[in-house]
């Protein structure tokens, strides 16, 4: 058994998870970042104690995994940057370790979401895989030889910040051209509004207040044949495919999984991405990674964090 | 001891190499691709026998490494594509194995050049590293956890085919926008001629016949303050830095090495690339890979191929 903690800007969701990724117990408390980091660490420690009391045999709990909305130093477990929480070079592992003797493993939230997908939905059949989470931003998880890749400075798998073109707006990271400024829900909403404001093209999206346009409405319109929405999806697909091909040029995984809210566009999105990546692939005669949709599930953040601890303990 | 074979379009260069990467004996024969693949394999087998005869104790030869100018299937050792030799899905490992009982390891020539650089010039101090070879094309070698990355289909480390912008010409791989169409000697010669033809800008390069312009002349002119040559270098540096940042976003190595003919531009190129990557880096507060020049050496193809066999045997 493992404790998985999904540290978000709104809630700290946690659970006791078995070896197969089943959640045995779960509990969550509000994050309230304004309280300061020490109170959040106290709450995380209390959650750990809670599950130790709940567990039939607490000695069977082997470790704690934590998914954070940011990056961490793989050498000492310090949170390098967690913009939502205002944490920079914060010694999360050291502070939590003063409350528990269990080994603690910290990773990025998109990376642990990839672990949930690969280990539970895909039943551990891939050892070289990449998952892209297409949400408000774009997150990534890279697995190689069964191990999640964090890199030397803790900034591997940050595929959302790959430069893929000349972007329309500055990314939250401070630079331009990041994949997430083309392929996140924020990006496609921004581009849809840009087209609505700068062109006269007819679109069902004009009947919706600008602030109500979201990823789902854009995809619904595109599927129904709306030309402006189609242009928005086309741009997203183009740059997403460049991102996928670029990841392939570095690590060449067996499979690329697309998850996150925008992946709910389903086969419609998948088929367009498959056509575009086929056009972009180098070495026409060589096969490349299959591209699949992630089978999104509840509690992926908790399960992924817990199984991330399991993966790390097994490969130490 | 290991036998390293550097299979090129002109010569098959080979050597007997010790554990430290010292070449004990070497020999080469012309490739003459027009003879057909079987004759080339026969010559490779003869080179293996030659070194077995030369070795003081042939039983100390542990394996054979081969660097090929193309890609190979990591599961069966078939050459997937070797454009210069006209080989496609050619069973190189199987055919050579019928001549020797030594284990055989096949990899890309830029990948084995990275092995020579990392294991000999850098004395094995990095376990997570990337090398970019800036030659006629752009090749790559990615090392993670001390192991060269080939990927599931044999097309990892093909960083030269990462899409980084809208290119001016079609890459040899059949697509547009590949890093090597911006950062190889072919690319900068092409762009220099493009500027000479499409602008009136004064340049010392106008005093040289168009067909004599090469990478060295472009860098010499840029260093001397020639504005047109500077523009060519600026474009190369911009896209090279995008390529470096993109590799970092996936695997975040400890070091990025720049090798190949264009890296002879030295500190001048290195300093410009360092300034540009610093501008492009995401998470401003987190450190990223050091960027160094490779210490180019003779026989890197032979040494790298031999030590690639060593690395593979040690990590099996």
């Amino acid at each position: 058994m493992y404790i998985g903690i999904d540290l978000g800007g709104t809630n700290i969701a946690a659970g006791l998870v078995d070896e197969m990724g089943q959640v045995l117990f779960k509990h969550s408390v509000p994050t309230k970042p304004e309280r300061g980091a020490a109170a959040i660490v106290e709450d995380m420690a209390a959650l750990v104690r809670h599950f130790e009391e709940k567990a039939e045999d607490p000695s069977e709990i082997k470790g704690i995994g934590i998914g954070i909305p940011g990056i961490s130093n793989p050498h000492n477990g310090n949170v390098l940057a967690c913009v939502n929480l205002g944490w920079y070079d914060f010694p999360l592992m050291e502070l939590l370790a003063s409350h528990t003797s269990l080994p603690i493993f910290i990773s990025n939230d998109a990376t642990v979401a990839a672990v949930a997908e690969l280990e539970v939905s895909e039943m551990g059949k891939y050892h070289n895989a990449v998952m892209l989470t297409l949400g408000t931003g774009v997150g990534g998880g890279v697995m190689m030889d069964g191990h999640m890749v964090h890199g030397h400075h803790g900034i591997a798998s940050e595929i959302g910040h790959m430069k893929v073109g000349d972007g329309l707006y500055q990314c939250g990271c401070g630079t331009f051209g990041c994949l997430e400024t083309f392929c996140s829900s924020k990006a496609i909403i921004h581009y849809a509004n840009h087209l609505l404001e700068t062109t006269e093209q007819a679109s069902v999206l004009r009947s919706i207040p600008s602030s109500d346009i979201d990823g789902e409405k854009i995809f619904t319109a595109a599927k129904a044949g709306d030309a402006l929405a189609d242009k928005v999806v086309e741009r997203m697909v183009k740059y997403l495919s460049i991102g996928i091909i670029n990841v392939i040029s570095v690590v060449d995984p067996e499979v690329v999984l697309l998850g996150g809210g925008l992946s709910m566009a389903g086969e419609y999105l998948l088929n367009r991405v498959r056509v575009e990546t086929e056009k972009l692939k180098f070495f026409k005669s060589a096969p490349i990674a299959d591209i699949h949709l992630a089978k999104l599930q509840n509690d992926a953040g908790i399960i992924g964090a817990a199984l991330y601890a399991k993966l790390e303990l097994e490969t130490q």
Side-chain angles (χ1 to χ4, degrees), chain A:
Chain A
M1 291 186 293
Y2 306 86
I3 294 169
I5 302 177
D6 180 11
L7 177 61
T10 310
N11 288 302
I12 311 168
L16 185 64
V17 177
D18 73 11
E19 307 281 331
M20 304 299 292
Q22 296 296 312
V23 179
L24 304 175
F25 303 101
K26 64 178 173 176
H27 191 62
S28 84
V29 296
T31 311
K32 293 185 196 152
E34 65 280 6
R35 297 182 293 165
I40 292 172
V41 174
E42 289 288 343
D43 275 356
M44 292 168 89
L47 284 163
V48 170
R49 284 194 298 276
H50 171 74
F51 294 117
E52 286 175 332
E53 284 159 19
K54 282 276 195 182
E56 207 165 308
D57 180 1
S59 73
E60 281 190 11
I61 301 176
K62 295 174 189 161
I64 301 167
I66 307 173
I68 61 165
I71 53 170
S72 59
N73 181 325
H75 305 290
N76 60 16
N78 283 9
V79 173
L80 286 168
C82 222
V83 180
N84 289 348
L85 303 177
W87 292 5
Y88 296 92
D89 213 24
F90 173 70
L92 175 60
M93 189 182 295
E94 187 187 329
L95 291 175
L96 189 59
S98 70
H99 294 272
T100 174
S101 58
L102 288 169
I104 300 164
F105 302 93
I106 299 172
S107 187
N108 173 263
D109 50 9
T111 301
V112 305
V115 174
E117 194 60 33
L118 289 165
E119 296 306 295
V120 182
S121 304
E122 300 289 352
M123 293 178 291
K125 68 172 177 273
Y126 298 111
H127 293 94
N128 293 287
V130 170
M131 178 159 148
L132 285 169
T133 300
L134 310 169
T136 313
V138 172
V142 177
M143 174 184 269
M144 293 191 65
D145 294 328
H147 198 84
M148 299 312 292
V149 179
H150 293 105
H152 189 75
H153 314 83
I155 54 169
S157 298
E158 286 289 341
I159 303 167
H161 299 291
M162 177 179 276
K163 308 288 171 265
V164 292
D166 295 317
L168 277 178
Y169 63 90
Q170 191 175 26
C171 182
C173 79
T175 63
F176 282 82
C178 292
L179 184 63
E180 81 170 38
T181 66
F182 292 93
C183 303
S184 62
S185 59
K186 181 178 172 183
I188 65 170
I189 293 166
H190 186 283
Y191 188 59
N193 280 312
H194 172 78
L195 289 183
L196 291 169
E197 286 159 21
T198 59
T199 72
E200 300 290 319
Q201 191 164 13
S203 172
V204 295
L205 296 175
R206 293 198 186 274
S207 61
I208 306 170
S210 160
S211 60
D212 284 357
I213 293 174
D214 61 17
E216 193 183 343
K217 291 191 180 77
I218 292 167
F219 271 100
T220 302
K223 286 177 187 177
D226 186 88
L228 186 142
D230 184 77
K231 204 166 167 182
V232 176
V233 171
E234 184 177 79
R235 179 176 183 265
M236 175 195 170
V237 166
K238 174 184 167 183
Y239 288 100
L240 178 56
S241 301
I242 289 175
I244 291 170
I245 287 292
N246 286 359
V247 174
I248 286 173
S249 77
V250 182
V251 293
D252 176 22
E254 186 173 1
V255 69
V256 174
L257 300 171
L258 302 180
L262 291 184
S263 74
M264 304 295 277
E267 298 288 326
Y268 173 79
L269 172 64
L270 179 65
N271 291 335
R272 291 183 74 153
V273 170
R274 282 181 172 159
V275 168
E276 187 69 19
T277 50
E278 192 61 31
K279 279 189 216 158
L280 292 173
K281 88 172 195 183
F282 45 94
F283 295 120
K284 295 299 175 196
S285 60
I288 61 170
D290 287 330
I291 306 171
H292 293 172
L293 295 171
K295 300 169 193 81
L296 301 175
Q297 53 190 328
N298 294 326
D299 302 326
I302 296 171
I303 297 166
L307 295 186
Y308 171 66
K310 180 181 184 224
L311 272 184
E312 287 296 297
L313 282 165
E314 284 174 355
T315 54
Q316 262 181 347

